[in-house]
Amino acid sequence: MQGQPLHWRMLAQRAGSEERRRLVRVARGEEQGDLLIRGAQVVQPATREVFEADVLVAGGRVAALGSGFQAARVVEARGAYLAPGFLDGHVHIESSLLTPAGFAAATLPRGTTGVVAEPHEVVNVLGPDGLAWMLEAGRTSGQRVWASAPSCVPASAFETGGARIDAGDTARLLALPGVLGLAEMMNYPGVLGGDPEVWAVLDAGRASGRRLDGHAAGVQGRDLQAYAAAGLHSDHEATTPEEARERLRAGLWLMVREGSAARNLQALLPVLRERPRRAMLVSDDVSVDELLELGHLDRLLRAGVAGGLHPADAVALVTCNPAEYWGLHDLGLVAPGYHADFVLLRDLQGFEVLETFVGGQEARPGTHTPPLAGGQVNLGPGWGAATFKVPPQWPVMVVSPDQITTGIGTPGSGDARLVVADRYGRGEWAACWTNGSGLRGATLGLSVLHDAHHAAFLGGTDEDVRAAGRALEALGGGAVVVAGGQVRAQLPLPYAGLMTDLPPAQAAAALTELTAVCRTHGCTLPYPVTTLSFLGLTVIPALKLTPRGLLDVAAWRYVP
């Protein structure tokens, strides 16, 4: 309601009061409820227990738990488990390659009723309009979608994307309804070094009184203490138990990440088994093919329980804990007064979802996505004659199949060339050698390159790289595989060059075909599109490539 005229706020408050009064009457048995879930095994993460109860709903909220209730509609749970709806406390919807409606279609059936989107992908391309679009698209998606205001656009001084957000922009974005806090502060060198622009953004975040999300890859020791002292509240970059415990001891909330590009859950399970008070599971970046094949937060719950977590503790990591962190005080529990967002589960091992409810209604994904203008691919007038030579003294970027960090190899040891080209018409590009993908004889081209979202090309001859670039321009953004000058597979991404409005199954099929063609050319990466999309992110060690050169992240300078 922030930003609405006073009389509108007063009317909304009065309506809210009436809804609450009715809820009290329904709970006392003075009025009939709207919905009754009868005979459920309620999962209560707040008390670490599971108990049998009927759940009464009125006006989209839980009125009471117990027995002997009356309601206009009854759903027989027949002993199924009733858990709070799952909340993803940190996710880049754009990384799924889907719009919010498509993401909801893929994840609502998996029990995800709400997400806190970090939309700095679309904001890096389109600026503040990208965040406004994400919130609007979220409202019609069928899922609860909140957002955090991007703090690093561009991610660092080494990136030049389609937009630049300063502290004044950040303050305005933080005031938008549906924005819960400042998004991940990736520029930790700027935080630690006192960069005035970075600190102006932090000041705007603190002035808002909202959460300040952290992002401190590889930061430890006194630097981590200093990073936390700057006012950050969380971190999702821990990859070892030692890093996780260090963050918890520094007062940071621990976000344990398990997505397509970085998988940290198995390594951090020993810490989660210690039952830390301030922890949650997040997906961060997960592609549509993996969403449909393996699941979303339900997959993380399966892995957590299989790894020794008590089911109620595992459920807390995707319900009441992220709700508490983000200040969503009416979500995260099946309890009186809370929104009736819950999931019926067959059991607490496989976490098979029988039905998902949002606001007391069976969840249905939206069918409308608002239009989004801009963000097309323009590689510049010199692209048709471009060549992509690698300086022979440059080290080789070593690519990992399951992490977004890269290693440093000796010159001459590469097996596939990487080209990164500015896609905003500046006519800049650079190339380096990589090792670890196995791709030969073909070029994988992509207009998704975190976070500036230039065009990236892995493997292939100069001719194939140029052909892949022309294909991306013609599509208005997307993913392509080119061999022998011909496009062998493609997925158009017309929404800012990042997202498709294809149904998830069609998008996943196109992505699977892209991966299969890469496989025929030797690629060994499980998710080559996702892996390629992170080879330009300048705030993740050790080497990353931008249109202006090869960046040594630890040294915080371009390789000469």
Side-chain angles (χ1 to χ4, degrees):
M1 279 181 287
Q2 186 173 353
Q4 294 287 349
L6 178 60
H7 68 283
W8 284 110
R9 296 203 301 271
M10 293 175 65
L11 287 172
Q13 290 166 0
R14 186 178 304 164
S17 176
E18 288 302 318
E19 291 171 359
R20 289 286 183 171
R21 289 172 185 270
R22 185 196 170 214
L23 207 61
V24 169
R25 295 193 296 270
V26 171
R28 289 170 58 88
E30 298 168 1
E31 289 186 20
Q32 181 177 254
D34 301 330
L35 171 68
L36 179 65
I37 308 294
R38 188 155 58 196
Q41 296 292 321
V42 177
V43 181
Q44 175 52 285
T47 58
R48 203 172 184 244
E49 62 180 331
V50 179
F51 55 87
E52 185 174 351
D54 300 342
V55 178
L56 184 63
V57 175
R61 292 179 181 267
V62 176
L65 281 68
S67 61
F69 302 126
Q70 299 295 319
R73 178 167 173 256
V74 177
V75 172
E76 299 289 351
R78 296 184 174 85
Y81 293 85
L82 187 70
F86 307 152
L87 300 172
D88 195 334
H90 180 79
V91 60
H92 303 279
I93 290 177
E94 306 97 311
S95 292
S96 70
L97 306 181
L98 301 170
T99 63
F103 188 84
T107 58
L108 275 170
R110 299 285 193 164
T112 303
T113 57
V115 299
V116 180
E118 212 290 46
H120 70 216
E121 319 304 345
V122 68
V123 173
N124 265 275
V125 177
L126 296 174
D129 289 346
L131 175 56
W133 177 87
M134 181 63 71
L135 290 169
E136 182 186 359
R139 283 189 287 271
T140 61
S141 70
Q143 199 168 50
R144 298 191 194 272
V145 177
W146 302 272
S148 50
S151 64
C152 300
V153 179
S156 77
F158 298 100
E159 293 191 19
T160 53
R164 177 174 291 274
I165 299 293
D166 62 19
D169 297 321
T170 302
R172 287 185 287 274
L173 294 177
L174 283 163
L176 291 175
V179 173
L180 303 182
L182 188 69
E184 52 188 340
M185 175 48 74
M186 297 178 289
N187 192 348
Y188 63 85
V191 174
L192 301 178
D195 183 291
E197 292 186 10
V198 170
W199 274 84
V201 170
L202 288 176
D203 291 343
R206 281 191 296 272
S208 74
R210 312 281 182 88
R211 285 294 190 188
L212 276 65
D213 248 4
H215 182 293
V219 180
Q220 54 188 336
R222 297 187 70 168
D223 280 349
L224 182 68
Q225 299 293 307
Y227 186 77
L232 283 307
H233 294 136
S234 68
D235 185 57
H236 59 271
E237 293 294 329
T239 61
T240 67
E242 294 72 25
E243 286 184 338
R245 292 189 185 99
E246 186 180 15
R247 280 148 176 75
L248 288 166
R249 289 167 183 153
L252 298 171
W253 281 72
L254 176 66
M255 293 181 174
V256 176
R257 173 179 54 192
E258 184 76 7
S260 299
R263 306 176 191 276
N264 308 130
L265 177 55
Q266 289 300 321
L268 301 186
L269 269 172
V271 178
L272 294 179
R273 286 195 293 266
E274 296 164 7
R275 298 180 62 199
R277 168 68 182 79
R278 294 150 63 91
M280 68 191 83
L281 300 175
V282 302
S283 67
D284 199 8
D285 301 278
V286 59
S287 63
V288 58
D289 49 350
E290 185 167 344
L291 281 175
L292 296 189
E293 178 186 358
L294 301 177
H296 187 218
L297 297 175
D298 57 317
R299 171 171 65 99
L300 277 59
L301 289 169
R302 284 191 291 275
V305 170
L309 295 182
H310 186 284
D313 290 339
V315 168
L317 296 172
V318 297
T319 57
C320 57
N321 286 15
E324 178 184 348
Y325 175 78
W326 283 113
L328 301 170
H329 303 300
D330 291 350
L331 288 162
L333 295 176
V334 179
Y338 281 66
H339 288 293
D341 296 5
F342 41 70
V343 183
L344 276 173
L345 303 166
R346 188 177 300 280
D347 57 47
L348 297 181
Q349 291 79 42
F351 288 92
E352 178 186 347
V353 175
L354 304 175
E355 189 68 76
T356 304
F357 293 80
V358 176
Q361 301 290 328
E362 285 89 343
R364 298 289 181 266
T367 57
H368 169 70
T369 295
L372 181 62
Q376 308 308 304
V377 177
N378 176 8
L379 299 178
W383 184 256
T387 58
F388 312 102
K389 296 181 180 179
V390 179
Q393 74 274 18
W394 273 8
V396 169
M397 182 190 298
V398 179
V399 177
S400 170
D402 57 4
Q403 299 295 338
I404 60 177
T405 55
T406 63
I408 301 177
T410 57
S413 62
D415 61 9
R417 186 176 54 175
L418 173 66
V419 175
V420 170
D422 182 290
R423 75 154 159 120
Y424 303 101
R426 301 182 185 101
E428 298 177 326
W429 51 79
C432 73
W433 286 102
T434 72
N435 197 2
S437 72
L439 184 64
R440 290 183 176 85
T443 295
L444 172 61
L446 186 61
S447 61
V448 180
L449 186 68
H450 301 277
D451 280 332
H453 295 295
H454 293 298
F457 306 90
L458 185 63
T461 63
D462 284 0
E463 179 186 1
D464 278 357
V465 171
R466 290 193 296 267
R470 288 192 294 269
L472 291 181
E473 287 181 321
L475 291 172
V480 298
V481 179
V482 171
Q486 301 297 315
V487 175
R488 308 297 181 179
Q490 65 181 30
L491 170 61
L493 300 172
Y495 285 80
L498 304 174
M499 295 165 281
T500 178
D501 56 3
L502 289 173
Q506 291 184 31
L511 198 55
T512 298
E513 183 181 3
L514 283 159
T515 300
V517 175
C518 289
R519 293 266 188 278
T520 65
H521 290 275
C523 184
T524 58
L525 297 171
Y527 297 97
V529 168
T530 301
T531 298
L532 174 57
S533 74
F534 280 95
L535 299 186
L537 183 50
T538 60
V539 292
I540 300 291
L543 296 176
K544 292 297 164 75
L545 187 66
T546 82
R548 296 181 175 179
L550 183 63
L551 183 70
D552 183 331
V553 179
W556 207 234
R557 63 178 177 85
Y558 281 115
V559 176

